[in-house]
């Protein structure tokens, strides 16, 4: 990946990514940057500020607060023409803009800082290649039973809403060795909300 400086001095990654596994791997790398070092400390503090009005241990309130904050503070902005762009969670916050990859990284980073097992769902409309990604959280945190979709890039979406009419869907979990069957391997029947 080559790093490029944009006018405001923020580094972004421009990359051609073939297939969903390399894309998700790059998203996970961006999330890990948001969990460590100075960026991690800032994201840790931001996650706690966002949910401070929620009752303790209230997963629905916390996920709703994260979802609403990202939807209100990050303008959906598509990638550069003919290039996939990827940015860390802190860059998305600083720029106040990003696409579905960037919102997935931001929500997954914030959720992970609150102890949620986080993942992503990649979807493809009929006859098209993989076209869209959104975050998901396994809840309840302590004993995950189901996944809640968190797609902040679509007007009218809410926690649990999923795009309809998709021909294919693949789930990934960022903090599991084998993300294919994360909840199923934990002895859970994966029920989806939305």
């Amino acid at each position: 990946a080559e790093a490029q400086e944009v006018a405001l001095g923020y580094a972004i990654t421009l990359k051609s990514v073939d297939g969903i596994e390399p894309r998700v791997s790059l998203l996970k790398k961006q999330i890990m940057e948001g969990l460590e070092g100075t960026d991690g400390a800032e994201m840790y503090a931001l996650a706690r500020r966002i949910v401070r009005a929620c009752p303790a241990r209230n997963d629905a309130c916390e996920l709703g607060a994260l979802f609403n904050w990202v939807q209100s503070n990050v303008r959906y902005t598509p990638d550069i023409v003919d290039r996939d762009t990827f940015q860390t969670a802190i860059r998305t916050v600083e720029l106040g803009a990003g696409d579905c990859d960037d919102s997935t990284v931001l929500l997954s980073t914030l959720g992970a800082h609150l102890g949620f097992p986080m993942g992503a769902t990649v979807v493809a409309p009929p006859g098209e290649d993989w076209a869209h990604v959104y975050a998901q959280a396994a809840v309840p945190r302590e004993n995950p039973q189901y996944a809640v979709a968190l797609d902040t890039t679509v007007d009218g979406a809410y926690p649990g809403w999923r795009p309809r009419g998709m021909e294919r869907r693949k789930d990934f979990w960022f903090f599991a060795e084998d993300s294919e069957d994360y909840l199923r391997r934990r002895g859970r029947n994966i029920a989806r909300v939305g």
Side-chain angles (χ1 to χ4, degrees), residues 23 69-80 83-85 87 92 95-104 106 131-134 150-156:
R23 175 180 297 272
W69 190 92
V70 171
Q71 199 169 52
S72 296
N73 290 281
V74 177
R75 177 186 181 273
Y76 176 80
T77 307
D79 282 333
I80 296 169
R83 291 285 184 120
D84 286 315
T85 59
Q87 59 198 31
T92 300
L95 293 170
D99 70 349
C100 60
D101 297 313
D102 306 319
S103 291
T104 298
L106 177 56
H132 183 57
V133 62
Y134 53 86
L150 301 166
D151 188 349
T152 62
T153 65
V154 177
D155 289 338

